[in-house]
Amino acid sequence: RSAAEEAMKEATAIREKEAAAYAAFKADADTNVAAIAKAVASIENGVAGSFLQSASAQALRRLAQSSSEDLLGEVDRQELVSFLSGSQGNGYAPQSGEIVSILKQMGDTM
């Protein structure tokens, strides 16, 4: 009987640890999805400049730079990070439609 109680305690501890890890993952994923949605809406409404200064843009930039996420190809990742940083090098400014497409692809992948 005590072995069974000990096994139950151990199983409960494992489930609680997994539940906490899932809750943290879900909160992070929800934040990322919300940032993508805000970015798409801002760019489509022509207010990308104010969006780029927001906390959502910072979160999206971190997500795009993250090596743990395999959401984008390297070219799309670089273009998105460049746009979010406001530093499109060599005078090239990507079309907002292209950025919206990249963001929507990220959202679909997540």
Side-chain angles (χ1 to χ4, degrees):
R1 180 158 171 93
S2 68
E5 289 176 358
E6 190 62 34
M8 288 293 290
K9 285 181 186 178
E10 188 175 317
T12 300
I14 290 170
R15 281 193 305 274
E16 288 173 352
K17 182 178 177 182
E18 290 172 347
Y22 173 76
F25 171 79
K26 183 173 182 341
D28 191 41
D30 288 347
T31 299
N32 293 336
V33 169
I36 290 170
K38 286 181 184 177
V40 169
S42 295
I43 294 168
E44 288 179 338
N45 290 326
V47 290
S50 62
F51 170 77
L52 292 175
Q53 299 172 10
S54 71
S56 294
Q58 304 301 321
L60 193 53
R61 185 179 309 120
R62 283 190 301 275
L63 175 64
Q65 291 173 331
S66 171
S67 60
S68 65
E69 297 289 339
D70 191 26
L71 300 174
L72 297 170
E74 189 59 30
V75 172
D76 287 343
R77 179 185 315 275
Q78 289 176 0
E79 190 150 346
L80 181 59
V81 169
S82 177
F83 173 77
L84 292 169
S85 299
S87 61
Q88 297 84 10
N90 301 325
Y92 173 71
Q95 298 297 316
S96 61
E98 186 176 350
I99 295 299
V100 168
S101 175
I102 293 169
L103 291 170
K104 285 182 177 181
Q105 175 189 351
M106 282 178 67
D108 291 344
T109 303
M110 293 182 78

